[in-house]
Coordinates of all heavy atoms in Angstrom, one line a residue:
N41 N 14.2 10.6 7.7 CA 15.4 10.7 6.9 C 15.3 9.8 5.7 O 15.2 8.7 5.7 CB 16.6 10.2 7.8 CG 17.9 10.5 7.2 OD1 18.1 11.3 6.3 ND2 18.9 9.7 7.5
L42 N 15.2 10.7 4.6 CA 15.1 10.0 3.3 C 16.5 10.1 2.5 O 16.9 11.1 2.1 CB 14.0 10.7 2.5 CG 13.7 10.1 1.1 CD1 13.3 8.6 1.2 CD2 12.6 10.8 0.4
K43 N 17.2 9.0 2.4 CA 18.5 9.0 1.8 C 18.3 9.1 0.3 O 17.4 8.7 -0.3 CB 19.2 7.6 2.0 CG 19.5 7.3 3.5 CD 20.1 6.1 3.7 CE 20.3 5.8 5.2 NZ 20.8 4.4 5.4
P44 N 19.2 9.8 -0.4 CA 19.1 10.1 -1.9 C 19.0 8.9 -2.7 O 18.2 8.8 -3.6 CB 20.4 10.9 -2.1 CG 20.8 11.4 -1.0 CD 20.5 10.5 0.2
E45 N 19.6 7.8 -2.3 CA 19.5 6.6 -3.1 C 18.2 5.9 -2.9 O 17.8 5.0 -3.7 CB 20.7 5.6 -2.7 CG 20.7 5.0 -1.3 CD 21.5 5.9 -0.4 OE1 21.8 7.1 -0.7 OE2 21.7 5.5 0.7
I46 N 17.4 6.2 -2.0 CA 16.1 5.6 -1.8 C 15.0 6.6 -2.2 O 14.0 6.2 -2.7 CB 15.9 5.4 -0.3 CG1 16.8 4.5 0.4 CG2 14.4 4.9 0.0 CD1 16.8 3.1 -0.1
A47 N 15.3 7.9 -2.4 CA 14.4 8.9 -2.7 C 13.7 8.7 -4.1 O 12.6 9.1 -4.4 CB 15.0 10.3 -2.6
S48 N 14.4 8.1 -5.0 CA 14.0 8.0 -6.4 C 12.8 6.8 -6.5 O 12.2 6.8 -7.4 CB 15.1 7.7 -7.4 OG 15.8 6.5 -7.1
G49 N 12.9 6.0 -5.5 CA 11.8 4.9 -5.4 C 12.2 3.8 -6.4 O 13.2 3.7 -7.1
E50 N 11.3 2.8 -6.5 CA 11.3 1.7 -7.3 C 10.0 1.6 -8.0 O 8.9 1.7 -7.3 CB 11.6 0.4 -6.5 CG 13.0 0.3 -5.9 CD 14.0 -0.1 -7.0 OE1 13.6 -0.6 -8.1 OE2 15.2 0.0 -6.6
Y51 N 10.0 1.3 -9.3 CA 8.7 1.1 -10.0 C 8.3 -0.4 -9.7 O 9.0 -1.3 -9.8 CB 8.9 1.3 -11.5 CG 7.6 0.9 -12.3 CD1 6.5 1.7 -12.2 CD2 7.5 -0.3 -12.9 CE1 5.4 1.4 -12.9 CE2 6.4 -0.6 -13.6 CZ 5.3 0.3 -13.6 OH 4.1 0.0 -14.3
S52 N 7.0 -0.6 -9.3 CA 6.4 -1.8 -9.1 C 5.0 -2.0 -9.8 O 4.2 -1.0 -9.5 CB 6.4 -2.2 -7.6 OG 5.6 -3.4 -7.4
N53 N 4.8 -3.0 -10.5 CA 3.3 -3.1 -11.0 C 2.8 -4.5 -10.6 O 1.8 -5.0 -11.1 CB 3.4 -3.0 -12.5 CG 4.2 -4.0 -13.3 OD1 4.9 -4.8 -12.6 ND2 4.4 -3.8 -14.6
L54 N 3.4 -5.1 -9.5 CA 3.0 -6.4 -9.1 C 3.4 -6.5 -7.6 O 4.5 -6.1 -7.2 CB 3.6 -7.5 -9.8 CG 3.4 -8.9 -9.4 CD1 1.9 -9.4 -9.7 CD2 4.3 -9.9 -10.2
A55 N 2.5 -6.9 -6.7 CA 2.8 -7.2 -5.3 C 2.3 -8.5 -4.9 O 1.2 -8.8 -5.2 CB 2.3 -6.1 -4.4
L56 N 3.2 -9.3 -4.3 CA 2.8 -10.7 -3.7 C 2.8 -10.6 -2.2 O 3.8 -10.1 -1.7 CB 3.8 -11.7 -4.3 CG 3.8 -11.8 -5.8 CD1 4.9 -12.8 -6.3 CD2 2.5 -12.2 -6.4
I57 N 1.8 -11.0 -1.7 CA 1.6 -10.9 -0.2 C 1.5 -12.3 0.4 O 0.6 -13.0 0.0 CB 0.5 -10.0 0.2 CG1 0.6 -8.6 -0.5 CG2 0.3 -9.8 1.8 CD1 -0.7 -7.7 -0.5
T58 N 2.3 -12.6 1.4 CA 2.2 -13.7 2.1 C 2.2 -13.4 3.7 O 2.6 -12.3 4.0 CB 3.2 -14.8 1.9 OG1 4.6 -14.3 2.0 CG2 3.2 -15.3 0.4
H59 N 1.9 -14.4 4.5 CA 1.9 -14.0 6.0 C 2.1 -15.3 6.7 O 1.9 -16.4 6.3 CB 0.7 -13.3 6.4 CG -0.6 -14.1 6.3 ND1 -1.3 -14.3 5.2 CD2 -1.1 -14.9 7.3 CE1 -2.3 -15.0 5.5 NE2 -2.3 -15.5 6.7
S60 N 2.6 -15.1 8.0 CA 2.7 -16.2 9.0 C 1.9 -15.5 10.2 O 1.2 -14.5 10.0 CB 4.1 -16.4 9.4 OG 4.7 -15.3 10.1
H61 N 1.9 -16.3 11.3 CA 1.1 -15.8 12.4 C 1.9 -14.6 13.0 O 1.3 -13.9 13.8 CB 1.0 -16.9 13.5 CG 2.1 -17.3 14.3 ND1 3.2 -18.1 13.7 CD2 2.6 -17.0 15.4 CE1 4.1 -18.3 14.5 NE2 3.8 -17.6 15.7
T62 N 3.1 -14.2 12.7 CA 3.9 -13.1 13.4 C 4.2 -12.0 12.3 O 4.5 -11.0 12.8 CB 5.2 -13.7 13.9 OG1 6.0 -14.3 12.9 CG2 4.9 -14.6 15.0
E63 N 4.1 -12.2 11.0 CA 4.4 -11.1 10.1 C 3.8 -11.3 8.7 O 3.3 -12.3 8.4 CB 6.0 -11.1 9.9 CG 6.5 -12.5 9.3 CD 7.9 -12.8 9.8 OE1 8.4 -12.2 10.7 OE2 8.3 -13.9 9.4
F64 N 3.7 -10.1 8.1 CA 3.3 -10.1 6.7 C 4.5 -9.7 5.8 O 5.3 -8.9 6.2 CB 2.2 -9.0 6.5 CG 0.8 -9.4 6.9 CD1 0.5 -9.6 8.2 CD2 -0.1 -9.6 5.8 CE1 -0.8 -9.9 8.5 CE2 -1.4 -10.1 6.2 CZ -1.8 -10.2 7.5
I65 N 4.6 -10.4 4.8 CA 5.7 -10.2 3.8 C 5.2 -9.7 2.4 O 4.3 -10.4 1.9 CB 6.5 -11.5 3.6 CG1 7.1 -12.0 4.9 CG2 7.7 -11.2 2.5 CD1 7.6 -13.4 4.9
I66 N 5.6 -8.6 2.0 CA 5.1 -8.0 0.7 C 6.2 -7.9 -0.2 O 7.2 -7.1 0.1 CB 4.5 -6.6 1.0 CG1 3.3 -6.6 2.1 CG2 3.8 -6.1 -0.3 CD1 2.8 -5.4 2.5
D67 N 6.2 -8.6 -1.3 CA 7.2 -8.5 -2.3 C 6.7 -7.6 -3.4 O 5.7 -8.0 -4.0 CB 7.6 -9.9 -2.9 CG 8.4 -10.7 -1.9 OD1 9.3 -10.2 -1.2 OD2 8.3 -12.0 -1.8
F68 N 7.4 -6.5 -3.6 CA 7.1 -5.6 -4.7 C 8.0 -6.0 -5.9 O 9.1 -6.2 -5.7 CB 7.3 -4.2 -4.3 CG 6.3 -3.7 -3.2 CD1 6.7 -3.7 -1.9 CD2 5.1 -3.2 -3.6 CE1 5.9 -3.2 -0.9 CE2 4.2 -2.7 -2.6 CZ 4.6 -2.8 -1.3
A69 N 7.2 -6.2 -7.0 CA 8.0 -6.7 -8.2 C 7.5 -5.9 -9.5 O 6.6 -5.1 -9.4 CB 7.7 -8.2 -8.5
R70 N 8.3 -6.0 -10.5 CA 7.9 -5.4 -11.8 C 8.0 -6.5 -12.8 O 8.9 -7.4 -12.8 CB 8.8 -4.2 -12.1 CG 10.3 -4.5 -12.2 CD 11.0 -3.2 -12.5 NE 12.4 -3.4 -12.1 CZ 13.0 -2.8 -11.0 NH1 12.2 -2.0 -10.3 NH2 14.1 -3.0 -10.6
H71 N 7.0 -6.5 -13.7 CA 7.0 -7.4 -14.9 C 6.8 -6.5 -16.0 O 5.7 -6.0 -16.4 CB 5.8 -8.4 -14.7 CG 5.9 -9.5 -15.6 ND1 4.8 -10.2 -16.0 CD2 6.9 -10.1 -16.3 CE1 5.1 -11.2 -16.8 NE2 6.5 -11.1 -17.0
L72 N 7.9 -6.5 -16.8 CA 7.9 -5.5 -18.0 C 8.0 -6.4 -19.2 O 8.4 -7.6 -19.3 CB 9.1 -4.6 -18.0 CG 9.2 -3.8 -16.7 CD1 10.5 -3.0 -16.6 CD2 8.0 -2.8 -16.6
P73 N 7.6 -5.8 -20.4 CA 7.6 -6.6 -21.7 C 9.1 -6.9 -21.9 O 10.1 -6.3 -21.6 CB 7.2 -5.5 -22.7 CG 6.4 -4.6 -21.9 CD 6.9 -4.5 -20.6
G74 N 9.2 -8.2 -22.4 CA 10.4 -8.8 -22.7 C 11.1 -9.5 -21.5 O 12.2 -10.1 -21.7
M75 N 10.6 -9.4 -20.3 CA 11.1 -10.1 -19.1 C 10.5 -11.5 -19.1 O 9.3 -11.6 -19.3 CB 10.8 -9.3 -17.8 CG 11.5 -8.0 -17.8 SD 11.0 -7.1 -16.3 CE 12.0 -8.2 -15.0
Q76 N 11.3 -12.5 -18.8 CA 10.7 -13.8 -18.8 C 9.8 -14.0 -17.5 O 8.9 -14.7 -17.5 CB 11.7 -14.9 -18.9 CG 12.4 -15.0 -20.3 CD 13.2 -16.1 -20.5 OE1 13.4 -17.0 -19.6 NE2 13.6 -16.3 -21.8
Q77 N 10.3 -13.4 -16.4 CA 9.6 -13.5 -15.2 C 9.7 -12.3 -14.4 O 10.6 -11.5 -14.5 CB 10.2 -14.7 -14.4 CG 11.6 -14.7 -13.9 CD 12.0 -15.9 -13.2 OE1 11.5 -16.9 -13.3 NE2 13.2 -15.8 -12.6
P78 N 8.8 -12.0 -13.5 CA 8.8 -10.7 -12.7 C 10.1 -10.7 -11.9 O 10.6 -11.8 -11.4 CB 7.5 -10.8 -11.9 CG 6.6 -11.8 -12.5 CD 7.6 -12.8 -13.2
E79 N 10.5 -9.5 -11.6 CA 11.8 -9.4 -10.8 C 11.4 -8.6 -9.5 O 10.8 -7.5 -9.6 CB 12.8 -8.5 -11.6 CG 14.0 -8.1 -10.8 CD 14.9 -7.3 -11.7 OE1 15.5 -7.8 -12.6 OE2 15.0 -6.1 -11.4
V80 N 11.7 -9.2 -8.3 CA 11.4 -8.6 -7.0 C 12.3 -7.4 -6.9 O 13.6 -7.6 -7.0 CB 11.4 -9.6 -5.8 CG1 11.3 -8.8 -4.6 CG2 10.4 -10.7 -6.0
C81 N 11.8 -6.2 -6.7 CA 12.7 -5.0 -6.5 C 12.7 -4.6 -5.0 O 13.6 -3.9 -4.6 CB 12.2 -3.9 -7.3 SG 10.5 -3.5 -7.3
S82 N 11.8 -5.1 -4.2 CA 11.8 -4.7 -2.8 C 10.9 -5.7 -2.0 O 9.9 -6.1 -2.4 CB 11.3 -3.2 -2.6 OG 11.3 -2.8 -1.2
R83 N 11.4 -5.9 -0.8 CA 10.6 -6.8 0.1 C 10.4 -6.0 1.4 O 11.3 -5.5 2.0 CB 11.3 -8.1 0.5 CG 10.7 -9.0 1.5 CD 11.3 -10.3 1.7 NE 10.8 -11.2 0.7 CZ 10.8 -12.5 0.7 NH1 11.7 -13.1 1.5 NH2 10.4 -13.3 -0.3
V84 N 9.2 -5.9 1.9 CA 8.8 -5.3 3.1 C 8.2 -6.3 4.1 O 7.3 -7.0 3.8 CB 7.8 -4.1 2.9 CG1 7.4 -3.5 4.2 CG2 8.4 -3.1 1.9
I85 N 8.8 -6.4 5.2 CA 8.3 -7.4 6.3 C 7.8 -6.4 7.4 O 8.4 -5.6 8.0 CB 9.4 -8.3 6.8 CG1 10.0 -9.0 5.6 CG2 8.9 -9.3 7.8 CD1 11.2 -9.7 5.9
M86 N 6.5 -6.8 7.8 CA 5.9 -6.0 9.0 C 5.0 -6.9 9.8 O 4.5 -7.9 9.4 CB 5.1 -4.9 8.4 CG 4.0 -5.2 7.4 SD 3.1 -3.7 6.9 CE 4.3 -2.9 5.9
A87 N 4.9 -6.4 11.1 CA 4.0 -7.1 12.0 C 2.5 -7.0 11.6 O 2.2 -5.9 10.8 CB 4.1 -6.4 13.4
P88 N 1.7 -7.9 12.0 CA 0.3 -7.9 11.5 C -0.4 -6.5 11.8 O -1.2 -5.9 11.0 CB -0.4 -8.9 12.3 CG 0.8 -9.9 12.5 CD 2.0 -9.1 12.7
E89 N -0.1 -5.9 13.0 CA -0.7 -4.6 13.4 C -0.3 -3.5 12.4 O -1.2 -2.7 12.0 CB -0.3 -4.2 14.8 CG -0.8 -5.2 15.9 CD 0.2 -6.4 16.1 OE1 1.2 -6.4 15.5 OE2 -0.2 -7.3 16.9
H90 N 0.9 -3.5 12.0 CA 1.4 -2.5 11.0 C 0.8 -2.7 9.7 O 0.5 -1.8 8.9 CB 2.8 -2.5 11.0 CG 3.5 -2.0 12.3 ND1 4.8 -1.9 12.4 CD2 2.9 -1.7 13.4 CE1 5.1 -1.5 13.6 NE2 4.0 -1.4 14.3
A91 N 0.6 -4.1 9.2 CA 0.0 -4.3 8.0 C -1.5 -3.8 8.0 O -1.9 -3.3 7.0 CB 0.0 -5.8 7.7
K92 N -2.2 -4.0 9.0 CA -3.5 -3.4 9.1 C -3.5 -1.9 9.1 O -4.4 -1.3 8.5 CB -4.2 -3.9 10.3 CG -5.7 -3.7 10.3 CD -6.5 -4.6 11.3 CE -8.0 -4.6 11.1 NZ -8.7 -5.5 12.0
R93 N -2.6 -1.3 9.8 CA -2.5 0.2 9.7 C -2.2 0.7 8.3 O -2.7 1.6 7.8 CB -1.4 0.7 10.6 CG -1.7 0.6 12.0 CD -0.7 1.4 12.9 NE -1.1 1.2 14.3 CZ -0.4 0.4 15.2 NH1 0.6 -0.4 14.7 NH2 -0.7 0.3 16.4
L94 N -1.4 -0.2 7.6 CA -1.1 0.2 6.1 C -2.3 0.0 5.3 O -2.7 0.9 4.4 CB 0.0 -0.7 5.6 CG 0.3 -0.6 4.1 CD1 0.9 0.7 3.8 CD2 1.3 -1.7 3.6
L95 N -3.2 -1.0 5.5 CA -4.4 -1.1 4.8 C -5.3 0.1 5.0 O -5.8 0.6 4.0 CB -5.1 -2.4 5.3 CG -6.5 -2.7 4.7 CD1 -6.5 -2.8 3.2 CD2 -7.2 -3.8 5.4
G96 N -5.4 0.5 6.2 CA -6.2 1.7 6.6 C -5.7 2.9 5.9 O -6.5 3.7 5.4
A97 N -4.4 3.2 5.9 CA -3.8 4.3 5.4 C -4.0 4.3 3.8 O -4.3 5.3 3.2 CB -2.3 4.4 5.7
L98 N -3.9 3.1 3.2 CA -4.1 3.0 1.7 C -5.6 3.4 1.4 O -5.8 4.1 0.4 CB -3.7 1.7 1.2 CG -2.2 1.4 1.0 CD1 -1.9 -0.1 0.8 CD2 -1.7 2.3 -0.1
Q99 N -6.5 2.7 2.2 CA -7.9 3.1 1.9 C -8.2 4.5 2.1 O -8.9 5.0 1.2 CB -8.8 2.2 2.9 CG -8.9 0.8 2.6 CD -9.7 0.0 3.6 OE1 -9.5 0.2 4.8 NE2 -10.7 -0.7 3.1
E100 N -7.7 5.2 3.1 CA -8.0 6.5 3.2 C -7.4 7.4 2.1 O -8.0 8.3 1.5 CB -7.4 7.0 4.5 CG -7.6 8.5 4.8 CD -6.9 8.9 6.1 OE1 -6.8 8.0 7.1 OE2 -6.6 10.1 6.2
N101 N -6.2 7.1 1.6 CA -5.6 7.8 0.6 C -6.1 7.5 -0.8 O -6.4 8.4 -1.6 CB -4.1 7.5 0.5 CG -3.3 8.4 1.5 OD1 -2.9 9.4 1.1 ND2 -3.1 7.8 2.8
I102 N -6.7 6.3 -1.0 CA -7.4 6.0 -2.2 C -8.7 6.8 -2.3 O -9.1 7.4 -3.3 CB -7.6 4.4 -2.5 CG1 -6.3 3.8 -2.8 CG2 -8.7 4.2 -3.5 CD1 -6.3 2.3 -2.8
Y103 N -9.4 6.8 -1.1 CA -10.7 7.6 -1.1 C -10.4 9.0 -1.4 O -11.1 9.6 -2.2 CB -11.2 7.4 0.3 CG -12.5 8.3 0.6 CD1 -13.7 7.9 0.0 CD2 -12.4 9.5 1.3 CE1 -14.8 8.7 0.3 CE2 -13.5 10.3 1.4 CZ -14.7 10.0 0.9 OH -15.8 10.8 1.0
K104 N -9.3 9.6 -0.8 CA -9.1 11.0 -1.0 C -8.7 11.3 -2.5 O -9.0 12.2 -3.2 CB -7.9 11.5 -0.1 CG -8.3 11.7 1.3 CD -7.2 12.0 2.2 CE -7.5 12.1 3.6 NZ -6.4 12.4 4.4
Y105 N -7.9 10.4 -3.1 CA -7.5 10.4 -4.5 C -8.7 10.4 -5.5 O -8.9 11.3 -6.3 CB -6.6 9.2 -4.9 CG -6.3 9.2 -6.3 CD1 -5.0 9.8 -6.8 CD2 -7.1 8.6 -7.3 CE1 -4.6 9.7 -8.1 CE2 -6.6 8.5 -8.6 CZ -5.5 9.1 -9.0 OH -5.1 9.1 -10.3
E106 N -9.6 9.4 -5.1 CA -10.9 9.3 -6.0 C -11.8 10.5 -5.9 O -12.5 11.0 -6.7 CB -11.5 8.0 -5.7 CG -10.8 6.8 -6.2 CD -11.5 5.5 -6.0 OE1 -12.4 5.4 -5.0 OE2 -11.3 4.6 -6.8
Q107 N -11.8 11.2 -4.6 CA -12.6 12.3 -4.5 C -12.1 13.5 -5.3 O -12.8 14.3 -5.9 CB -12.6 12.8 -3.0 CG -13.4 11.8 -2.1 CD -14.8 11.6 -2.5 OE1 -15.5 12.6 -2.5 NE2 -15.2 10.4 -2.8
Q108 N -10.7 13.6 -5.5 CA -10.0 14.7 -6.2 C -10.0 14.4 -7.7 O -10.2 15.3 -8.5 CB -8.6 14.9 -5.7 CG -7.9 16.0 -6.2 CD -6.6 16.4 -5.6 OE1 -6.3 15.7 -4.6 NE2 -5.9 17.4 -6.1
F109 N -9.7 13.1 -8.1 CA -9.3 12.8 -9.5 C -10.4 11.9 -10.2 O -10.2 11.6 -11.4 CB -8.0 12.2 -9.6 CG -6.9 13.1 -9.1 CD1 -6.3 12.8 -8.0 CD2 -6.6 14.3 -9.8 CE1 -5.3 13.6 -7.4 CE2 -5.5 15.0 -9.4 CZ -4.8 14.8 -8.1

Side-chain angles (χ1 to χ4, degrees):
N41 180 25
L42 184 58
K43 297 176 185 176
E45 62 271 17
I46 301 293
S48 62
E50 290 283 348
Y51 175 75
S52 173
N53 58 4
L54 177 67
L56 302 171
I57 304 168
T58 57
H59 68 273
S60 69
H61 72 285
T62 58
E63 61 214 4
F64 277 75
I65 301 165
I66 308 170
D67 287 324
F68 292 95
R70 60 181 154 254
H71 193 203
L72 302 173
M75 293 178 74
Q76 289 193 359
Q77 61 185 16
E79 175 182 291
V80 174
C81 52
S82 184
R83 173 174 275 189
V84 176
I85 304 168
M86 60 180 62
E89 297 84 4
H90 294 181
K92 194 160 189 177
R93 286 187 184 108
L94 175 62
L95 173 64
L98 282 170
Q99 286 180 307
E100 181 179 334
N101 278 271
I102 289 171
Y103 174 79
K104 289 176 181 178
Y105 176 96
E106 289 183 335
Q107 293 300 303
Q108 184 174 357
F109 300 108

